[in-house]
């Protein structure tokens, strides 16, 4: 509101909210929901259907990079792919970004990493092309307002690095001495489930299992979408602490 932006109510489970919220709107940024995968597809369809009814011209969707059938994160990727298809078949103009893994959660977890002296997960030597919320914001702003991006799917990721390389980059910025400790998928899942419950405790190991198998080592379309190179991992970490 301080920026002069009108706030309208929208509940992904309530189609009627969006019939009202999207009146007079030309372009919609559909942010992927946080519900369980089985619920997300219809939630997203509520927005797509309301957009068509309300005269929206274009939808930009925040999808995700990942394997569709190989790990516990795959059902979320599948739900995103279905929404991509729904948007592409909507008859509206569209652009889709497939987000890489955010670097912020690792940095938000720094106190635990420092306490334990290590970064521990099941990614092994797999590479992950990290991104950040700030970088994604830059890309989506361009995708929303520039017609040249219409009808395209972009991998919105940065440079691919291993977990050992991530630890080294963090050490450079935070002056820490973290090491990377690989563990099995089974052990990591048991650890995460104990701390986070069954759903998130399965999803997060699935993300790292995907990294291990190469699902997050994908070519980047970020510069094509944003009009500038993606920031380096070191730059993203430095920006976070500043």
């Amino acid at each position: 509101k301080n920026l002069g932006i009108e706030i309208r109510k929208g509940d992904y489970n309530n189609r009627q909210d969006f019939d009202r919220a999207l009146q007079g709107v030309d372009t919609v940024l559909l942010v992927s929901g946080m519900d369980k995968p089985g619920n997300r597809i219809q939630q997203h369809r509520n927005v797509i259907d309301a957009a068509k009814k309300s005269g929206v011209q274009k939808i930009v969707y925040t999808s995700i990079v990942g394997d569709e059938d190989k790990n516990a994160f795959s059902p979320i990727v599948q739900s995103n792919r279905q929404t991509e298809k729904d948007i592409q078949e909507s008859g509206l103009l569209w652009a889709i970004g497939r987000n890489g893994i955010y670097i912020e959660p690792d940095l938000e977890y720094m106190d635990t990493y420092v306490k334990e002296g290590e970064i521990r997960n099941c990614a092994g030597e797999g590479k992950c092309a990290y991104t950040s919320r700030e970088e994604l914001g830059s890309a989506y702003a361009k995708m929303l307002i520039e017609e040249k991006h219409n009808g395209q799917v972009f991998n919105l990721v940065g440079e691919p690095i291993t977990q050992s390389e991530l630890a080294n980059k963090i050490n450079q910025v935070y002056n820490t001495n973290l090491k990377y400790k690989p563990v099995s998928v089974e052990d990591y899942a048991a650890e995460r489930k104990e701390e986070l419950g069954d759903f998130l405790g399965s999803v997060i190991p699935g993300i790292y299992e995907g990294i291990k198998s190469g699902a997050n080592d994908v070519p980047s379309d970020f510069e094509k979408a944003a009009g500038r190179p993606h920031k380096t991992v070191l730059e993203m970490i430095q920006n976070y602490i500043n």
Side-chain angles (χ1 to χ4, degrees):
K1 289 182 179 179
N2 291 337
L3 296 173
I5 296 171
E6 180 183 354
I7 308 298
R8 297 182 182 179
K9 178 186 176 184
D11 181 333
Y12 280 9
N13 290 308
N14 189 332
R15 159 66 189 277
Q16 285 68 38
D17 276 359
F18 287 97
D19 285 340
R20 293 185 290 270
L22 299 182
Q23 289 298 316
V25 173
D26 295 321
T27 304
V28 168
L29 176 65
L30 175 53
V31 179
S32 183
M34 294 294 291
D35 209 331
K36 292 182 179 180
N39 298 334
R40 293 186 189 196
I41 294 171
Q42 184 57 52
Q43 290 174 339
H44 297 161
R45 284 175 177 167
N46 287 341
V47 180
I48 297 167
D49 292 343
K52 292 164 64 176
K53 179 180 177 181
S54 301
V56 168
Q57 298 173 17
K58 176 178 174 179
I59 295 181
V60 177
Y61 177 53
T62 69
S63 188
I64 197 163
V65 169
D67 275 324
E68 296 180 39
D69 58 6
K70 294 180 181 177
N71 56 63
F73 188 58
S74 294
I76 293 176
V77 178
Q78 290 170 14
S79 71
N80 278 258
R81 296 291 178 269
Q82 181 59 56
T83 296
E84 291 181 19
K85 184 177 179 182
D86 289 343
I87 290 170
Q88 290 165 342
E89 295 177 350
S90 69
L92 303 177
L93 298 172
W94 57 269
I96 291 168
R98 291 182 176 174
N99 297 355
I101 300 300
Y102 300 169
I103 200 166
E104 288 93 344
D106 277 290
L107 306 180
E108 291 162 1
Y109 213 64
M110 274 297 298
D111 288 347
T112 300
Y113 288 158
V114 170
K115 180 180 178 182
E116 297 178 351
E118 62 187 20
I119 295 175
R120 183 176 62 256
N121 58 52
C122 58
E125 292 303 308
K127 290 190 173 184
C128 179
Y130 283 97
T131 188
S132 71
R133 296 182 180 105
E134 182 180 24
E135 290 297 88
L136 293 172
S138 295
Y140 281 112
K142 295 282 190 177
M143 291 164 63
L144 285 161
I145 64 176
E146 294 182 353
E147 294 182 3
K148 67 181 181 180
H149 298 315
N150 293 355
Q152 298 184 65
V153 179
F154 301 95
N155 289 333
L156 300 180
V157 300
E159 59 182 313
I161 61 169
T162 65
Q163 296 297 291
S164 295
E165 290 171 325
L166 174 63
N168 290 337
K169 302 287 187 186
I170 290 175
N171 288 339
Q172 288 181 53
V173 177
Y174 282 86
N175 197 29
T176 49
N177 191 32
L178 300 177
K179 305 293 184 183
Y180 172 60
K181 180 180 179 180
V183 296
S184 70
V185 174
E186 293 75 19
D187 287 349
Y188 190 59
E191 177 186 316
R192 294 292 89 197
K193 286 179 182 178
E194 183 176 348
E195 181 175 340
L196 301 171
D198 284 344
F199 177 60
L200 281 178
S202 297
V203 167
I204 291 175
I207 292 173
Y208 286 106
E209 186 178 4
I211 293 173
K212 183 177 184 177
S213 69
N216 294 84
D217 185 4
V218 297
S220 176
D221 303 311
F222 183 87
E223 186 167 359
K224 185 179 177 182
R228 63 164 175 81
H230 195 288
K231 289 178 179 173
T232 66
V233 172
L234 207 58
E235 288 172 331
M236 289 191 291
I237 298 172
Q238 290 168 336
N239 284 354
Y240 179 83
I241 66 171
N242 292 328

